[in-house]
Amino acid sequence: MTIFNADEIRVALETAFPVPMDEYEDAFYCQLMAGSLNDLAKVYKRRFNETVDEIKAGGLLSEDFVLVLEESQKKEVDIPALRSGLPDLFAEVVHIPAPDAVKLLSNRFIYEAVKTQIGDRIKRYEAVNVDDLEARLPVAERPEYITMKTTPKGYIVKRVIRRRG
């Protein structure tokens, strides 16, 4: 199987579709080419996802490839634990994310104004910035209030490297 890199694909495209010399024509060419490549990328992404689904559904294995589920990690604050465990620190770092504040009352109000208006319902919207909490909390206490959340990003295909021996 031949693997092409972006430069090789660009050269092939520019051989098939020569680059205009006029700046306006070139800008128009680039605009059209970018749109076409974006559409083509969607086709390949859809085909990739369909093929991965077939591999998973059929339990297909390969000696040359392996299907790997990538994950991303993001720190999250355990709001109820921090609120009850360190109420003074919680009061220092708690806030309402702007989109939630807008949903509730508009941009005119800050945390205390929202709290005054909606009382205990604010708990559903309370948030603490991980960096703000880490700056104020000793490292040893962080695991009690900050957890690592792992979420799937999607599948990738990796080539298996075989050792000759």
Side-chain angles (χ1 to χ4, degrees):
M1 171 170 49
T2 304
I3 303 295
F4 301 102
N5 66 36
D7 286 333
E8 292 170 323
I9 293 170
R10 184 185 51 76
V11 168
L13 285 171
E14 289 178 358
T15 300
F17 305 99
V19 176
M21 298 302 289
D22 177 78
E23 286 82 359
Y24 275 96
E25 284 185 60
D26 186 41
F28 185 69
Y29 166 92
C30 291
Q31 176 180 292
L32 293 177
M33 188 64 77
S36 296
L37 291 173
N38 187 40
D39 292 344
L40 187 58
K42 291 175 186 174
V43 169
Y44 278 102
K45 182 63 176 176
R46 184 173 35 257
R47 189 168 127 197
F48 171 81
N49 289 332
E50 289 169 354
T51 305
V52 167
D53 288 344
E54 290 174 16
I55 291 169
K56 289 171 28 187
L60 304 177
L61 300 175
S62 168
E63 291 183 14
D64 297 316
F65 300 94
V66 62
L67 193 60
V68 178
L69 177 61
E70 286 191 322
E71 297 177 324
S72 63
Q73 293 189 325
K74 176 183 161 188
K75 294 178 183 177
E76 287 188 348
V77 175
D78 184 336
I79 300 281
L82 184 61
R83 183 188 299 115
S84 64
L86 297 171
D88 292 340
L89 179 55
F90 175 78
E92 284 182 42
V93 295
V94 68
H95 66 279
I96 298 290
D100 291 330
V102 169
K103 287 179 207 172
L104 292 168
L105 296 171
S106 85
N107 282 331
R108 295 180 298 140
F109 299 97
I110 59 172
Y111 177 79
E112 290 302 326
V114 173
K115 187 175 177 181
T116 300
Q117 295 293 316
I118 68 171
D120 282 345
R121 288 186 299 138
I122 198 168
K123 289 181 180 180
R124 178 175 173 209
Y125 302 98
E126 288 175 333
V128 172
N129 181 288
V130 172
D131 293 337
D132 290 347
L133 183 58
E134 284 181 331
R136 293 171 173 84
L137 199 59
V139 174
E141 291 184 44
R142 291 178 186 172
E144 185 176 348
Y145 302 104
I146 300 172
T147 56
M148 189 65 72
K149 181 180 180 183
T150 301
T151 54
K153 284 179 22 179
Y155 289 94
I156 61 167
V157 174
K158 290 187 177 180
R159 183 177 293 279
V160 175
I161 299 173
R162 295 193 198 167
R163 298 180 186 226
R164 298 179 186 207

